[in-house]
Amino acid sequence: MRSPLRADELVARVELHDGAVATSGTYERGLHVWDGRTGAAARGLLSATVVAPDLTTADVLATSVLALGEEGVAWAVDQGAALVLAVLPDGTVVSDGPAGRAAA
């Protein structure tokens, strides 16, 4: 996953043998995802990357996480995401997924 703050840096690398990965972010197209709860542009995250069983699910969840902000990370896992990585406006990376929950 590329850094939304620096195009030449990686935030994380995901090795995947089965499934799909999708990212939604503001760093290429600007503020283009809207929070349906407020009607305003989603500003809580710079990017959201989701690993899911198929590309449609990964894409829908990644866009939803971007719209929901940080609270969307755990929500996406509850919807079936295997892993969610999100970058906050300050560059902090937050993540969640079944493996992390099992270890907690």
Side-chain angles (χ1 to χ4, degrees):
M1 177 172 109
R2 95 155 238 220
S3 168
L5 299 172
R6 292 195 48 161
D8 61 337
E9 289 183 8
L10 292 177
V11 172
R13 187 167 68 190
V14 176
E15 185 174 327
L16 184 64
H17 298 284
D18 190 23
V21 179
T23 298
S24 185
T26 61
Y27 52 90
E28 291 286 337
R29 295 177 54 201
L31 298 173
H32 68 286
V33 173
W34 300 92
D35 183 337
R37 301 167 298 180
T38 66
R43 298 178 183 269
L45 299 174
L46 296 179
S47 71
T49 298
V50 173
V51 176
D54 59 85
L55 186 55
T56 300
T57 302
D59 186 44
V60 168
L61 291 177
T63 302
S64 297
V65 171
L66 190 66
L68 291 169
E70 190 172 355
E71 69 187 76
V73 174
W75 174 86
V77 173
D78 291 341
Q79 304 310 307
L83 176 66
V84 181
L85 298 163
V87 180
L88 302 178
D90 68 0
T92 302
V93 177
V94 294
S95 65
D96 198 356
R101 288 183 175 183

